[in-house]
Amino acid sequence: MEIHHPERLDAHILLGIVNERLRLSCDNLGELEEDLGISGAQLEHKLGAIGFHYLPEQNQFRREGE
């Protein structure tokens, strides 16, 4: 599935896509940035607004405390 404007997606939909890509094809946030064509800072901002943050040791966006 190609995403043309990930920054325009609803944050919850973006979260699902991002975590799926991290699980299946991207080994880290840098690879995900290249894959989606969006900066990690943009992802952190958009997903942080709904309470999710990137955890490098788990290679996924999760809520704090999960």
Side-chain angles (χ1 to χ4, degrees):
M1 176 174 144
E2 183 151 340
I3 303 170
H4 297 287
H5 297 283
E7 71 282 358
R8 294 183 189 169
L9 292 174
D10 174 88
H12 292 93
I13 292 171
L14 182 60
L15 173 66
I17 292 168
V18 162
N19 277 339
E20 179 183 35
R21 296 266 176 107
L22 287 168
R23 184 176 62 252
L24 299 176
S25 61
C26 298
D27 292 331
N28 55 54
L29 189 56
E31 286 184 21
L32 181 68
E33 290 175 291
E34 288 181 27
D35 186 45
L36 294 179
I38 186 172
S39 76
Q42 286 177 295
L43 287 171
E44 287 277 4
H45 177 75
K46 184 144 188 163
L47 298 179
I50 60 169
F52 286 81
H53 304 281
Y54 181 68
L55 301 175
E57 62 278 355
Q58 296 172 343
N59 194 36
Q60 65 180 230
F61 281 83
R62 297 186 73 174
R63 285 192 193 272
E64 288 188 30
E66 285 188 354

